[in-house]
Amino acid sequence: MSDHQHDHQHDQHTDHHDTVHHVGHVITYVIVFFALVVGTLGTYLAAKVDMGAFNAPVALIIATTKAFLVILFFMHVKDSSRLTKTVVAGGIFWLCILLTLTMTDFLSRVWH
Amino acid sequence: MSPAVSDVVVTEQYVMPEEHYINSDTSLKSWLLTVDHKRIAILYMLTITFFFFIGGFMASLVRLELLTPAGDLLESDTYNRAFSMHGVMMIFFFLVPSVPATLGNFLVPLMVGARDLAFPRINLLSWYIFLVGASFAVSAMVLGGVDTGWTFYTPFSTTFSNSNVILTAVGILIAGFASIFTGLNFIVTVHRMRAPGMSWFRLPLFIWSQYAASLIMVLGTPVIAITLALVALERGFHIGIFDPKLGGDPILFQHMFWFYSHPAVYIMILPGMGVISEVIPAFAHKRIFGYKAVAYSSIAIAVFGFLVWAHHMFIAGISIYAALVFSLVSFIVAIPSAIKVFNWSATLYKGSIRWNTPMLYAFGFIGLFTIGGLTGLFLASLGLDVHLTETYFIVAHFHYVMVGGMVLAYLCGIHFWWPKMTGRMYPELPAKLSALLVFVGFNLTFMPQFILGYLGMPRRYHAYPPEWQVFNVLSSAGASILAIGFLMPMIYLVWSLKYGKIAGPNPWQATGLEWETSSPPPTHNFLEQPIVTSEPYNYGPKEGEV
Amino acid sequence: MAIETETIHHDHSGEPGHGGHHAHLEHPRHQSQFDTMDQQKDASGLGMWVFLIQEIMFFGGMFIAYLVYRNRYFGTFGYASEEALRTFLGACNTLVLICSSLTMALAVNAAQRGHRKSLMRFIVATWLLGAVFLGIKTIEYSEKYERREVPGANFCFEPTGTPCSNVGAKEDLFPMLKRWAGGNFGHPPSPNPEVAAPDSQPNAGATGSESHGTQAGSNIQLPESSERERSLPGAEIYFSLYFALTGTHALHMIVGMGIMFWLFKNAKNGVYNETYYTPIENFGLYWHFVDIVWIYLFPLFYLIDLHAVKP
């Protein structure tokens, strides 16, 4: 909500994050797109290399980087209100609750 | 305190407003296609009342069977179906939508000073989705019911049960999305639709508790949806997810199930706490004690409620280290609930208390919820839980919270806001009588079950050793009193629709935006945009306070 | 609590461009419960995000199942992934989805700028890329069906890596659909009925009043095809999760592609312009979310361990 002042003289109805930089956005999208392509190729090639235990972490780190690029730029979270950011963080946090607390059980007992 | 405060609340002669949301258009189509949150609340109320009585009917079958030690009225299989359908109907089709979908739908926009919820069409859609889900569950019941209990534990539900698991599971899955949409609507409405001046700490505590419950609905319900979808898939197509024969782990199902279903008990109880937080100050005619503590405790319950689910699984074979953690956090979640109880009690202190029906229910709530909550602590203790779990102690515990807490809060709220919803007062004398019957009947039903559970009577059996009969007879006797207590409001509330005294805008002299518009409210709630200038629960002497 | 100030102050934003206090009421897309178009847009955006949180948890239920079984059947998951999934196709699909995310972002951009023609073009491009994705997915699915890697009674995944026999338990698609239509899920008719009979006995006897017709087939102990029993432990779970997750993901894409028809129609009729493009923007959020899910599914299913030793 902090960037509410930007568009007072321009247009009340359009979104306050996006009205300010039209052309810049297309370039941002294209740059992000190429970053995502590079990430995809990178993760594909990295998987071909035998890194032992590190294959999975590398793949997940690349995936998370890509996901954050999409969230921040394609989904405009970078320029969004604090509330939107809180909602996104909350969703990820709750997913982590589900994953970690369930794993506390499975990792601390013998199965079968 | 002021002399206006007395038991006889409506002393003036009021007339009904000329046009309000009920008479603005009376055609059936205008009801079925309405986007008015108040009408959708009424639709929901009628629907869940229906399911309440289906669930109640199943409960009476269970209590009738348990009158005698022998399994003579129902076969074991029929008995399994009776208690399962009781649980499914009551939990998923009555308790979860009860206060949010009826009172919440009705009151959230009124209380924040909005014309409607943020997404009225999604609100209507939610009711239709609920109907679709409910018809699945009802057809499952008509086709012979389900015998897994409301918990659908695998591998019984996926492999061995001979009942309509798929239909019921799909019904619950669908109804879950109705709940998600309700929660989504409330969250956005509270964030984005508040009237000018209605800051977060001027919101009624009912709104805080609805907001907290909405968080759980949005964050928890999808997990049960996908869990039940997987159960249905596994049962239908024998794919391997939870089946131990194919290498799966049934305990994973329990984790996923309780990830929703434990927080779901807070979906059920939080809105009830919100009702009590409104009623106690109104009838004590006193500002609520510790507003912020009560508000934050709602959020704390919603958050901590997500961290304790495995206390349902202490004997399921989970790791004892994980069980220790879950046990500890379960104790912590009791703290915010206790904060609320203390604050309500402190609000009563030196208040000028009026003994109207909503207040009777509220007193009942505080007492019974406290008993339910404290016995929950017994069950959170690892060692004691091994002795008490899967016995009638559990049954008594959650009925104390869900019926003694939630259903009483629901009835409390219905009576409190009945004049607002219909424009007419309910008759006070039969209402007080029914509140008394509910309280007595409830305790008679479930107090013996604590003893039975402690003595070791397991739940979900249709026969039991004869030495336990006396407690079971007491319990069944109480259940019949309880049933009368629940049936009475049906009669006098309907009666009041025509013959009740006209209430006027604010029969209780309560605070809150909903009391500042006419009863029943006009279609768009307020004739002019309300502006909030004062703190909430501004009871008592006005001058010098604000 | 900074967030509320905006809602409260929306009244004094003054509508300078429209010369009049009630100008916002004249917007054809304004809904009566909102005071201003700004409030309406904010509310819709927040609603969409809350919906996406719900989606995260919906997929989360399957991700925790994946995590648990991935730990339990570490080697099997890697082995099954290496044997059965074609990494190249997965990588292609990832690229296709990333492209569709780009076109979707550009569609939102075009809508914000009021470029009707290019909005329509980008919606079509996004739709086509979605179709390509689903096409490749169909190839993968049918391959798995042929190789009996679809979980269920037909499932077979030989530990030796040799292909499963194509005789016996395998059932063609059409008879299978017919069987399902008759309410008979679960298992194909046994080629050898005498084997099935003794298995079903103990269960059927356990309860008195049962089987009201709807699920008559599902309560019977299955005569397992021996190939299914011989299959690598945990492999069926891997494929169940693969189909559950990618299937739910594909379902989201199909729903999205359906919504795109509606968006395209509206875009064609000039509904969206600089003052009103919320549906496009919210749909963009949905589409990007579906993309993110795939960004995780690709490494988790296709790449997890291409160097796994046979368990």
Side-chain angles (χ1 to χ4, degrees), chain C:
Chain C
M1 294 290 153
I3 9 172
E4 87 266 15
T5 51
E6 206 224 9
T7 349
I8 294 166
H9 298 313
H10 50 63
D11 272 348
H12 72 70
S13 52
E15 307 297 327
H18 297 268
H21 183 63
H22 289 291
H24 54 272
L25 292 179
E26 287 151 23
H27 196 286
R29 294 286 147 180
H30 179 259
Q31 293 169 339
S32 69
Q33 73 270 28
F34 296 109
D35 290 337
T36 60
M37 284 304 278
D38 259 0
Q39 188 192 21
Q40 177 173 339
K41 184 172 164 31
D42 270 356
S44 312
L46 178 61
M48 194 64 210
W49 274 109
V50 174
F51 181 77
L52 291 184
I53 294 310
Q54 178 275 131
E55 290 280 10
I56 292 181
M57 299 310 290
F58 188 77
F59 279 96
M62 287 181 284
F63 276 115
I64 181 61
Y66 175 89
L67 191 56
V68 166
Y69 292 127
R70 164 79 171 140
N71 268 282
R72 174 68 183 85
Y73 300 108
F74 189 78
T76 305
F77 269 41
Y79 182 63
S81 151
E82 187 192 355
E83 278 295 307
L85 263 51
R86 288 180 31 195
T87 315
F88 179 70
L89 287 185
C92 286
N93 253 351
T94 313
L95 290 176
V96 169
L97 260 198
I98 288 173
C99 287
S100 84
S101 254
L102 175 68
T103 54
M104 192 62 232
L106 294 175
V108 175
N109 194 256
Q112 290 167 337
R113 297 154 70 179
H115 294 174
R116 192 173 68 95
K117 282 274 177 223
S118 74
L119 168 63
M120 284 159 62
R121 273 198 291 271
F122 282 125
I123 291 178
V124 171
T126 311
W127 195 93
L128 288 176
L129 287 163
V132 171
F133 178 93
L134 289 178
I136 296 179
K137 208 81 223 134
T138 313
I139 296 173
E140 293 189 79
Y141 276 6
S142 59
E143 237 176 48
K144 279 174 193 53
Y145 181 75
E146 284 303 315
R147 293 172 48 172
R148 299 179 53 190
E149 285 158 359
V150 178
N154 278 332
F155 183 79
C156 164
F157 189 81
E158 295 278 1
T160 50
T162 50
C164 293
S165 67
N166 256 353
V167 289
K170 186 171 178 292
E171 192 183 13
D172 281 332
L173 190 61
F174 184 64
M176 185 167 74
L177 290 177
K178 237 173 81 177
R179 181 163 58 80
W180 291 351
N184 190 10
F185 299 106
H187 62 102
S190 168
N192 191 359
E194 300 90 68
V195 183
D199 265 357
S200 63
Q201 233 26 55
N203 251 318
T207 45
S209 64
E210 48 152 286
S211 90
H212 293 258
T214 44
Q215 291 160 17
S218 57
N219 53 4
I220 299 163
Q221 279 283 330
L222 298 186
E224 298 287 349
S225 77
S226 59
E227 280 182 313
R228 188 186 189 190
E229 282 170 351
R230 279 207 309 274
S231 297
L232 193 59
E236 189 163 357
I237 292 186
Y238 173 80
F239 285 105
S240 297
L241 289 170
Y242 168 81
F243 277 103
L245 272 158
T246 58
T248 313
H249 176 259
L251 192 67
H252 277 79
M253 295 201 58
I254 292 168
V255 170
M257 287 164 69
I259 296 173
M260 269 193 266
F261 280 111
W262 175 69
L263 294 177
F264 181 80
K265 198 194 90 198
N266 279 351
K268 195 166 164 228
N269 295 340
V271 169
Y272 308 120
N273 52 42
E274 300 96 319
T275 64
Y276 178 72
Y277 52 87
T278 315
I280 299 279
E281 196 178 35
N282 283 351
F283 179 78
L285 293 178
Y286 173 84
W287 196 255
H288 296 311
F289 169 80
V290 174
D291 184 24
I292 290 173
V293 172
W294 183 260
I295 284 178
Y296 278 98
L297 292 185
F298 174 53
L300 289 182
F301 281 105
Y302 290 79
L303 301 179
I304 41 173
D305 205 348
L306 297 182
H307 313 281
V309 213
K310 196 180 63 140

Side-chain angles (χ1 to χ4, degrees), chain B residues 216-529:
Chain B
I216 306 177
M217 290 182 193
V218 168
L219 291 162
T221 319
V223 179
I224 187 108
I226 190 63
T227 310
L228 291 177
L230 290 176
V231 165
L233 278 176
E234 177 152 337
R235 184 176 169 85
F237 302 109
H238 289 276
I239 62 171
I241 301 261
F242 304 120
D243 187 355
K245 208 164 77 179
L246 296 168
D249 187 356
I251 294 181
L252 175 66
F253 168 82
Q254 297 187 22
H255 276 296
M256 291 165 70
F257 179 84
W258 289 113
F259 180 83
Y260 164 76
S261 295
H262 187 74
V265 306
Y266 300 113
I267 298 181
M268 302 175 215
I269 196 68
L270 270 169
M273 293 168 157
V275 171
I276 303 303
S277 303
E278 295 298 310
V279 168
I280 296 265
F283 288 92
H285 209 77
K286 201 160 158 262
R287 189 176 292 222
I288 187 109
F289 184 87
Y291 171 91
K292 284 196 179 180
V294 180
Y296 281 133
S297 65
S298 292
I299 306 295
I301 288 175
V303 174
F304 282 109
F306 271 100
L307 310 177
V308 300
W309 75 82
H311 66 219
H312 294 267
M313 304 161 55
F314 285 157
I315 60 156
I318 62 168
S319 127
I320 53 163
Y321 308 106
L324 268 175
V325 176
F326 279 109
S327 173
L328 179 70
V329 188
S330 302
F331 279 99
I332 294 175
V333 81
I335 296 172
S337 306
I339 288 176
K340 283 179 187 287
V341 172
F342 288 133
N343 279 301
W344 294 326
S345 314
T347 308
L348 293 172
Y349 179 68
K350 287 193 173 175
S352 54
I353 294 170
R354 289 175 292 173
W355 297 87
N356 294 94
T357 313
M359 192 57 158
L360 295 186
Y361 277 117
F363 280 134
F365 176 97
I366 295 179
L368 301 181
F369 173 76
T370 305
I371 296 177
L374 288 177
T375 49
L377 291 181
F378 300 3
L379 296 165
S381 333
L382 272 173
L384 202 49
D385 182 70
V386 173
H387 174 60
L388 293 176
T389 198
E390 300 296 332
T391 69
Y392 265 83
F393 195 89
I394 289 270
V395 177
H397 156 67
F398 68 69
H399 279 88
Y400 261 85
V401 182
M402 291 294 113
V403 183
M406 187 58 190
V407 177
L408 257 61
Y410 177 67
L411 288 171
C412 172
I414 292 285
H415 284 89
F416 184 54
W417 282 292
W418 190 256
K420 185 50 66 182
M421 296 166 98
T422 65
R424 288 180 186 270
M425 300 301 294
Y426 59 86
E428 194 66 60
L429 190 67
K432 279 183 178 172
L433 184 63
S434 90
L436 194 68
L437 283 179
V438 167
F439 184 78
V440 172
F442 174 82
N443 279 301
L444 190 55
T445 312
F446 291 103
M447 195 55 92
Q449 295 188 4
F450 275 126
I451 302 166
L452 280 171
Y454 188 76
L455 295 175
M457 178 168 166
R459 61 196 284 213
R460 297 181 168 174
Y461 284 85
H462 74 318
Y464 54 86
E467 61 261 36
W468 290 334
Q469 186 174 15
V470 58
F471 295 113
N472 276 297
V473 169
L474 283 177
S475 182
S476 296
S480 49
I481 299 176
L482 192 58
I484 297 171
F486 285 147
L487 281 168
M488 279 180 63
M490 287 289 288
I491 298 162
Y492 65 73
L493 287 181
V494 172
W495 176 88
S496 78
L497 288 178
K498 194 160 166 59
Y499 304 105
K501 199 167 181 185
I502 292 172
N506 189 359
W508 310 121
Q509 297 114 49
T511 63
L513 286 180
E514 81 269 29
W515 299 110
E516 285 176 18
T517 186
S518 58
S519 310
T523 301
H524 288 296
N525 293 350
F526 301 98
L527 294 176
E528 47 191 76
Q529 170 77 57

Side-chain angles (χ1 to χ4, degrees), chain B residues 139-157:
Chain B
S139 14
M141 191 175 69
V142 171
L143 291 169
V146 65
D147 64 352
T148 58
W150 72 279
T151 49
F152 298 99
Y153 272 16
T154 58
F156 180 69
S157 61

